[in-house]
Amino acid sequence: MARMLTTGQAINEALAIALESDPDVILLGEDVAGGGARSAEGVEEMGGVLGTTKGLVKRFPERVLDTPISEMGILGTAVGAAATGLRPVAELMFIDFLGVCLDPLLNQAAKLRYMFGGKARVPLTVRTVTGSGMRAAAQHSQSLYWMTAGIPGLKTVIPSNPADAKGLLLAAIRDDDPVIFCEAKGVLMQRGEVPEGDWTVPIGQARIARAGGDVTLVAFGATVAMALQAAEALAKEGTEAEVVDLRSLQPLDEAAILSSLEKTGRLVVVDESTPRCSIASDVAALCVDRGFDFLNAPVKRVTAPHTPVPFAAVLEDAFRPSAEKVIAAVREMG
Amino acid sequence: MPKLGMSMQEGRVVAWPLPLGARVERSRTVVVIESEKAEVEIEATASGFLRHLYVAVDETVPCGSLLGALTETRDEPFDAEAFRAAHDRPLAALAPAREDRRPAPAPAAPAKPGARRAIAPAARARARELGIDVEQVAGSGPGGRVVREDVDAAAARRRDRVEVAPGVALEAPAAGQGDPVVLLPGFGSDVAAFARQAPALAERFRLIGVNPRGVAGSDAPADAAYGVATMAADAAHAFAGSAHLIGASLGAAAALELALAHPERVRSLVLVTPFVTASPRLVAVLEAWCRLAEEASPTALAAALLPWLFGAATLGDERARARTARGLAEIAARVPAATLARQAAGLRAWSGTRAADLARVRAPTLVVAGGDDLLAPDAEAVSRAIPGARLLVVPGAGHAVALEAPERVNEAILALLAAHP
């Protein structure tokens, strides 16, 4: 049976199921236990900066571990643990902190299986919060999933709703390769139906979030809601948009993108990140390269501009993609 | 339609001062248009002959629409539809106002001769698949880009064309489902003459209209005459097996000719204001018709024809008269003077050749006559000469009885078709 949960609650449920079903699973990160071990002293645990892991330390006190404030420490520990038999879920509080812990991911986690001829494996999951919209300023609001998606050896997934968050996280934890699990700020507080029990969503399969024949809107994470909102408005004008929710950025479901483009002939890709070297540009290149004869209009990219994320609320809102910008792009392509 | 100001989106054709077929000198006014309450005389940018008018007087069209065609010489081969496909570039409707205050993207530069046209890859691919020359397809996308839908539309138009002889294709638009009913329009007219029959008939039948040679988008081979037997043979290419035929005036002559030549292909015959021998008045009116088409605008031609074609009922109603004159002018604009001359030559050659053959008609026949018809006064005699023919006479209606009294005419046609499925 499905219940209404927030994405944060769905992630918490997935973590509990993973911890319960596999004794090798551990959680580690800044405040993921959050003082929970001291609840006897009347201390209310944090459960991470956004409360996502709240309550888990009480059920699994040995396996939910607070770390020092050192991302290099967290990732170094996690990659080592994964390479030597555990199945760690590390929390990188914001993807903006990738810079201080890139080497364990880029040169160790992503390379070990390849360089040891398949004899080593790194079943690591990195949960990390991405995106703008929470007035968290330029150093805590970036959408750097394009960096991890661009490193061979890493997988990167990004759910757009609570059900996919649960299913993709369980699939990520059970995957024998390192997976970056992105929690978009705009999605974390979203509520939706979530299936009960042990339930996974396969990594690498896009989802048709809305069917339509006139234009394809490719979206992922927080932009799926924008695309769906734009699609409803466009439908009132007689334009039926198909919304493709990528769910996984690497591997990328190229077949789903191309088959929707073949049907509609028009494609807009909506990406929260800045445009250079982005998933948006990557999808556009795919369409031109392998979907050329399907194109009935130029591929449009709706992204943030090439600037840091502004702190001022008005500017941050203007910086973000939106349903209005998607509608304008669809109208512009004719 | 030229775009004369920043805000001009459409314009109305006020007058075509020169008749179709006329010699046009460079810098001479070729068309008068109205934009934003000002009338503007548009000068020809090159000398030539006015060969086709795509937009009738009083019609309002978006800027960029093709208004007319000039050719260098009077008689060079000219495909009106292909020319239109290559040059008609109506501006897309304005997008609804939006909040976005970014400056609008710079408009695409006007197409220069020889400039590369924007063609969407999907349009190219579809054109390859359908065997269509994408360079000849008009674009409806932003900045005139040819999109996949344009190729599909061009293919649909091509499907409506029937090749009746090597290199000669006629427009044969079709509608509805059921047994085939073929519509043959009269002198100087296209299938729009059956506009008031089509909706009622298309509910139960497959309607196939045939625009004769030289009419509207049909090809116009440079023959001296378009004979009635050729017209009948052309019509026979528009359908397979057998069909019900409805012909008006000269179209009735073609229908009769087909019924005599190939009785097995004619299930029933509706002859609207038919004649077998052209009356002296008809011959004189046709002569004036041809001459006016050469020398006057379609509007003037329509005004002159109106009292010859319509009965007292239409002429006595001022609004009906104005509306009818506009419709007639639109049809006239689609039939060049050269076609009229060729049809008239064919009609004169045929006149009197079939008077004795009416008794041989085997198809169940309905003859429709106008009580006020000045041009085909022997319609009733035709009816009497065809064995078993039914006759409907509509009092007060003229030669264009099918347009003037559609209810009664349609009722009689449907009754005949129902009796002879």
Side-chain angles (χ1 to χ4, degrees):
Chain A
M1 239 189 80
R3 305 111 319 132
M4 296 297 281
L5 297 181
T6 66
T7 299
Q9 288 167 334
I11 288 169
N12 186 289
E13 188 170 287
L15 291 171
I17 291 170
L19 285 160
E20 206 147 69
S21 60
D22 184 349
D24 288 340
V25 172
I26 61 166
L27 310 191
L28 69 165
E30 292 157 10
D31 272 338
V32 293
R38 292 165 60 212
S39 54
E41 302 161 34
V43 176
E44 178 72 12
E45 85 264 31
M46 283 281 290
V49 71
L50 299 172
T52 312
T53 52
K54 203 176 173 96
L56 293 175
V57 68
K58 286 182 184 144
R59 292 176 61 192
F60 311 98
E62 306 286 313
R63 293 192 279 146
V64 179
L65 311 170
D66 275 342
T67 65
I69 302 179
S70 166
E71 283 75 18
M72 187 63 163
I74 300 168
L75 263 295
T77 305
V79 173
T84 53
L86 294 183
R87 201 167 275 276
V89 181
E91 181 176 306
L92 179 60
M93 194 181 287
F94 292 103
I95 201 171
D96 309 70
F97 307 156
L98 191 62
V100 292
C101 59
L102 191 56
D103 189 68
L105 278 179
L106 167 64
N107 281 325
Q108 311 306 328
K111 303 292 193 289
L112 291 183
R113 180 196 280 275
Y114 178 79
M115 295 182 74
F116 283 84
K119 288 177 186 162
R121 56 188 183 127
V122 184
L124 162 72
T125 301
V126 179
R127 290 178 43 240
T128 185
V129 173
T130 65
S132 56
M134 267 177 62
R135 317 304 186 217
Q139 297 161 320
H140 297 73
S141 301
Q142 296 170 81
S143 298
L144 300 176
Y145 36 65
W146 53 271
M147 287 182 68
T148 59
I151 297 172
L154 300 183
K155 295 176 180 175
T156 300
V157 299
I158 177 165
S160 69
N161 59 76
D164 280 356
K166 176 177 175 180
L168 280 172
L169 182 53
L170 273 170
I173 294 170
R174 287 164 185 172
D175 198 287
D176 279 345
D177 287 309
V179 180
I180 314 301
F181 180 88
C182 297
E183 302 172 7
K185 293 192 185 85
V187 174
L188 272 173
M189 299 309 290
Q190 213 185 91
R191 293 180 74 82
E193 286 197 350
V194 178
E196 280 191 85
D198 200 331
W199 177 78
T200 60
V201 168
I203 293 174
Q205 278 185 19
R207 173 180 74 102
I208 303 299
R210 182 189 194 280
D214 297 328
V215 60
T216 299
L217 307 178
V218 172
F220 50 93
T223 66
V224 172
M226 300 169 192
L228 287 170
Q229 200 187 335
E232 291 309 314
L234 289 166
K236 295 199 179 84
E237 300 175 6
T239 300
E240 290 298 339
E242 178 149 296
V243 178
V244 178
D245 178 358
L246 292 180
R247 303 204 287 199
S248 170
L249 304 180
Q250 171 56 38
L252 182 68
D253 193 346
E254 300 183 341
I257 297 168
L258 291 170
S259 76
S260 182
L261 175 63
E262 180 172 16
K263 183 164 76 164
T264 63
R266 295 173 170 84
L267 187 138
V268 179
V269 50
V270 197
D271 182 350
E272 260 197 286
S273 84
T274 49
R276 299 298 316 280
C277 309
S278 62
I279 300 297
S281 300
D282 195 52
V283 168
L286 169 76
C287 295
V288 172
D289 183 359
R290 290 182 44 209
F292 188 74
D293 281 345
F294 306 148
L295 290 174
N296 211 8
V299 177
K300 290 285 172 192
R301 295 172 300 163
V302 176
T303 67
H306 185 68
T307 73
V309 183
F311 177 57
V314 171
L315 290 180
E316 188 182 21
D317 289 345
F319 170 92
R320 285 169 60 71
S322 65
E324 289 71 29
K325 289 176 185 174
V326 175
I327 293 167
V330 170
R331 286 187 183 144
E332 195 185 325
M333 71 207 295
Chain B
M1 179 61 66
K3 186 168 165 66
L4 300 174
M6 286 289 284
S7 61
M8 179 176 172
Q9 296 297 327
E10 57 180 28
R12 184 175 71 93
V13 171
V14 176
W16 288 103
L18 300 170
L20 208 57
R23 166 90 185 156
V24 181
E25 295 303 331
R26 188 164 169 268
S27 301
R28 202 177 146 188
T29 300
V30 66
V31 61
V32 183
I33 64 163
E34 183 190 71
S35 77
E36 296 161 327
K37 298 196 173 67
E39 285 194 3
V40 183
E41 295 185 346
I42 303 299
E43 294 172 355
T45 51
S47 301
F49 291 87
L50 189 54
R51 286 293 291 278
H52 198 79
L53 308 182
Y54 295 94
V55 178
V57 166
D58 269 344
E59 219 178 299
T60 299
V61 293
C63 295
S65 301
L66 183 65
L67 296 180
L70 295 181
T71 55
E72 231 167 67
T73 57
R74 186 190 291 276
D75 295 316
E76 69 190 78
F78 164 69
D79 181 339
E81 206 47 45
F83 190 81
R84 179 175 214 158
H87 297 283
D88 194 32
R89 297 279 177 277
L91 292 179
L94 273 187
R98 44 181 135 130
E99 294 275 314
D100 203 330
R101 273 179 294 230
R102 282 177 307 174
K112 295 188 197 87
R116 192 179 153 85
R117 299 170 61 217
I119 299 169
R124 285 191 191 279
R126 181 61 58 89
R128 265 200 310 277
E129 179 189 325
L130 300 175
I132 281 181
D133 180 4
V134 73
E135 300 293 341
Q136 300 302 317
V137 176
S140 68
R145 181 188 300 121
V146 180
V147 293
R148 190 168 55 191
E149 291 80 351
D150 297 326
V151 176
D152 287 338
R157 279 196 300 275
R158 192 181 61 170
R159 271 197 297 279
D160 280 346
R161 292 176 74 81
V162 176
E163 189 162 356
V164 295
V168 181
L170 302 189
E171 274 186 335
Q177 292 303 324
D179 290 337
V181 173
V182 176
L183 304 173
L184 303 173
F187 180 87
S189 177
D190 64 7
V191 294
F194 294 105
R196 294 191 168 177
Q197 277 66 53
L201 293 172
E203 281 176 21
R204 276 180 252 174
F205 297 94
R206 174 79 176 158
L207 277 192
I208 304 162
V210 181
N211 279 335
R213 295 177 182 225
V215 169
S218 290
D219 289 345
D223 304 337
Y226 293 155
V228 173
T230 305
M231 201 179 270
D234 288 351
H237 280 95
F239 63 97
S242 64
H244 303 281
L245 301 187
I246 303 179
S249 193
L250 179 60
L256 193 56
E257 195 64 25
L258 186 53
L260 289 167
H262 296 285
E264 76 286 356
R265 300 202 60 192
V266 181
R267 297 193 203 184
S268 76
L269 199 55
V270 178
L271 305 176
V272 181
T273 58
F275 57 88
V276 283
T277 303
S279 67
R281 192 192 302 276
L282 176 60
V283 172
V285 167
L286 295 186
E287 206 177 300
W289 192 327
C290 293
R291 179 117 183 242
L292 275 171
E294 279 278 358
E295 298 178 10
S297 68
T299 322
L301 173 60
L305 289 174
L306 201 64
W308 292 108
L309 295 177
F310 290 83
T314 304
L315 298 174
D317 177 341
E318 199 170 317
R319 288 178 60 189
R321 196 174 66 220
R323 197 178 56 236
T324 307
R326 272 200 304 278
L328 203 54
E330 279 171 25
I331 293 178
R334 294 194 288 267
V335 188
T339 296
L340 296 175
R342 289 163 181 159
Q343 284 191 344
L347 188 155
R348 282 194 303 271
W350 181 79
S351 175
T353 60
R354 288 298 194 182
D357 294 326
L358 293 175
R360 290 205 291 116
V361 172
R362 292 286 165 268
T365 301
L366 165 71
V367 171
V368 179
D372 210 3
D373 184 359
L374 300 168
L375 301 183
D378 58 350
E380 291 186 50
V382 170
S383 165
R384 282 194 297 274
I386 295 175
R390 306 174 180 202
L391 174 66
L392 168 70
V393 181
V394 182
H399 196 60
V401 56
L403 282 166
E404 291 186 277
E407 291 84 7
R408 296 199 54 192
V409 172
N410 294 350
E411 191 189 347
I413 292 173
L414 287 168
L416 177 80
L417 299 191
H420 303 280

